[in-house]
């Protein structure tokens, strides 16, 4: 696991980006974080007023945006400001999609459209429970939308107008997380998964893969000793930088910063250049059995 930088990517798509496709796929599928320090997301002067913590209605740490409908959730803005934010996020979604299509063209036919988010609240100020506390190292897993093996690829960009960085810790490789916490994962209950779906707590049936990934997410965060002692690397993503990684594979903690845009892209394991690197396959090798057939997941909601 490493921080990899490609300085030469300066546009959100096109031939100049496609030149780096092979390198980018190797980094991303290898579990690295790819940083593009010369790829800022430009905001227009009339969008600067959107960069305020009061954009949030206080119910959630993020404002979510559904590119299919233009809907914003957990946003306090009304009227023109709300429309302006939706337009800005729509532009970011378009840019992020073009970037992924350029850098990871083999994902293009199967990548699923997903929600984007705007993160206007300073991480350090956010009250939260331990399991929701993203300042603790974790791998991403969705409690509401089962992924059934599908990958969580995320593109971030820091648009902080004051120049403050987004600060992450990057933890140990996924295989080491699995080695440490897999023996502690409680037994999967197909009935429990059915009941969660029946009660509307999940959108679709939680598979054993989802159960294990959620358990790894929780076990990492709940283990104070692990958080204090495990190997980690501090990274500062500066304002104007864009970065991406598979957050279901890269152990990460977001420590500080605000005014970050994020786009989630769901990638089927079968679309990967090397599916054996997917968490699904890593877990199956560790357990020496299949975790259910991966299927193409639906759109991601309720992250
Ligand atoms: Fe995360």
């Amino acid at each position: 696991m490493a921080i990899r930088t490609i300085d030469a990517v300066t546009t959100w798509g096109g031939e100049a980006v496609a030149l780096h496709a092979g390198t980018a796929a190797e980094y991303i599928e290898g579990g690295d974080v790819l940083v593009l320090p010369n790829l800022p997301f430009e905001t227009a002067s009339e969008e600067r007023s959107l960069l305020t913590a009061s954009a949030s209605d206080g119910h959630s740490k993020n404002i979510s945006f559904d590119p299919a409908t233009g809907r914003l959730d957990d946003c306090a803005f009304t009227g023109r400001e709300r429309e302006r934010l939706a337009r800005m996020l729509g532009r970011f979604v378009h840019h992020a999609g073009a970037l992924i299509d350029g850098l990871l063209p083999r994902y293009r036919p199967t990548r699923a459209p997903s929600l984007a988010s705007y993160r206007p609240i300073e991480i350090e100020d956010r009250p939260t429970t331990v399991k929701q506390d993203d300042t603790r190292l974790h791998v991403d897993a969705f409690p509401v939308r089962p992924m059934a093996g599908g990958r969580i690829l995320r593109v971030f960009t820091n648009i902080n107008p004051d120049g403050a960085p987004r600060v992450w810790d990057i933890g140990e490789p996924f295989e080491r997380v699995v080695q440490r916490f897999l023996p502690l994962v409680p037994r999967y209950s197909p009935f429990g998964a059915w009941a969660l779906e029946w009660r509307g707590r999940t959108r679709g049936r939680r598979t054993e893969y989802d159960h294990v990934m959620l358990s790894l997410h929780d076990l990492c965060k709940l283990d104070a000793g692990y958080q204090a002692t495990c190997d980690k690397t501090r990274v500062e993503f500066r304002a104007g930088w864009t970065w991406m990684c598979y957050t279901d594979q890269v152990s990460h903690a977001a420590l500080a910063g605000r005014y970050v845009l994020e786009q989630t892209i769901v990638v089927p394991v079968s679309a990967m250049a090397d599916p054996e690197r997917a968490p699904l396959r890593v877990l199956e090798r560790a357990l020496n059995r299949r975790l259910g057939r991966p299927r193409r997941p639906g759109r991601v909601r309720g992250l």
Side-chain angles (χ1 to χ4, degrees):
M1 189 176 296
I3 308 299
R4 307 286 194 168
T5 302
I6 302 182
D7 294 311
V9 172
T10 56
T11 61
W12 289 89
E15 284 177 22
V17 172
L19 286 175
H20 304 281
T23 313
E26 181 56 33
Y27 292 162
I28 294 291
E29 292 197 2
D32 296 333
V33 179
L34 174 58
V35 178
L36 307 171
N38 295 311
L39 187 61
F41 177 76
E42 304 289 352
T43 51
S45 56
E46 67 268 22
E47 291 170 337
R48 304 287 153 74
S49 65
L50 305 174
L51 306 183
T52 166
S54 59
S56 166
D57 67 3
H59 287 122
S60 174
K61 54 192 179 184
N62 303 327
I63 294 170
S64 70
F65 173 70
D66 185 341
T69 61
R71 179 185 163 131
L72 290 166
D73 282 320
D74 303 308
C75 177
F77 288 148
T78 57
R80 285 193 177 164
E81 271 194 321
R82 194 178 181 93
E83 288 169 17
R84 210 176 290 144
L85 179 59
R87 273 201 304 277
M88 184 176 85
L89 286 168
R91 197 168 77 248
F92 174 65
V93 166
H94 177 77
H95 282 349
L99 181 67
I100 293 298
D101 287 348
L103 287 179
L104 300 155
R106 62 177 301 117
Y107 297 169
R108 193 178 314 179
T110 48
R111 70 176 177 86
S114 309
L115 296 187
S117 65
Y118 169 41
R119 305 173 176 208
I121 299 178
E122 174 57 49
I123 293 170
E124 291 167 323
D125 298 340
R126 287 189 326 213
T128 184
T129 65
V130 172
K131 286 186 186 177
Q132 291 174 333
D133 182 1
D134 290 337
T135 67
R136 294 167 185 249
L137 286 165
H138 64 282
V139 287
D140 283 349
F142 299 147
V144 175
R145 169 62 63 185
M147 301 298 289
R151 307 296 317 275
I152 303 170
L153 177 61
R154 287 183 148 167
V155 179
F156 303 87
T157 195
N158 182 354
I159 58 170
N160 194 309
D162 306 319
R166 182 75 159 184
V167 183
W168 278 21
D169 272 346
I170 307 291
E172 57 188 9
F174 183 73
E175 286 77 1
R176 292 245 294 278
V177 174
V178 170
Q179 222 170 26
R180 190 183 300 253
F181 290 109
L182 189 59
L184 306 177
V185 170
R187 196 178 179 84
Y188 171 69
S189 161
F191 175 76
W194 171 84
L196 283 172
E197 185 183 14
W198 187 76
R199 281 162 33 211
R201 300 274 299 278
T202 58
R203 299 194 180 100
R205 189 72 51 89
R206 187 177 285 178
T207 67
E208 187 174 6
Y209 170 79
D210 295 297
H211 166 75
V212 173
M213 290 298 288
L214 271 168
S215 299
L216 293 179
H217 169 275
D218 294 350
L219 287 163
C220 281
K221 284 188 175 177
L222 290 166
D223 189 332
Y226 174 72
Q227 294 289 332
T229 59
C230 102
D231 289 342
K232 49 178 102 69
T233 306
R234 183 70 43 93
V235 191
E236 294 196 354
F237 301 105
R238 294 186 193 160
W241 286 16
T242 295
W243 67 102
M244 66 175 77
C245 66
Y246 272 125
T247 56
D248 55 3
Q249 181 178 10
V250 174
S251 172
H252 60 284
L255 304 177
R258 61 175 168 169
Y259 305 127
V260 167
L261 307 182
E262 171 271 337
Q263 163 81 93
T264 299
I265 291 155
V266 178
V267 180
V269 171
S270 58
M272 295 176 63
D274 184 0
E276 294 306 311
R277 291 167 140 178
L280 176 70
R281 298 284 179 249
V282 174
L283 291 170
E284 286 181 338
R285 283 195 295 276
L287 292 165
N288 200 25
R289 62 188 166 83
R290 300 298 297 268
L291 284 179
R293 293 183 66 77
R295 61 179 169 78
R296 188 178 170 187
R299 299 176 66 243
V300 177
R301 297 193 62 88
L303 307 184

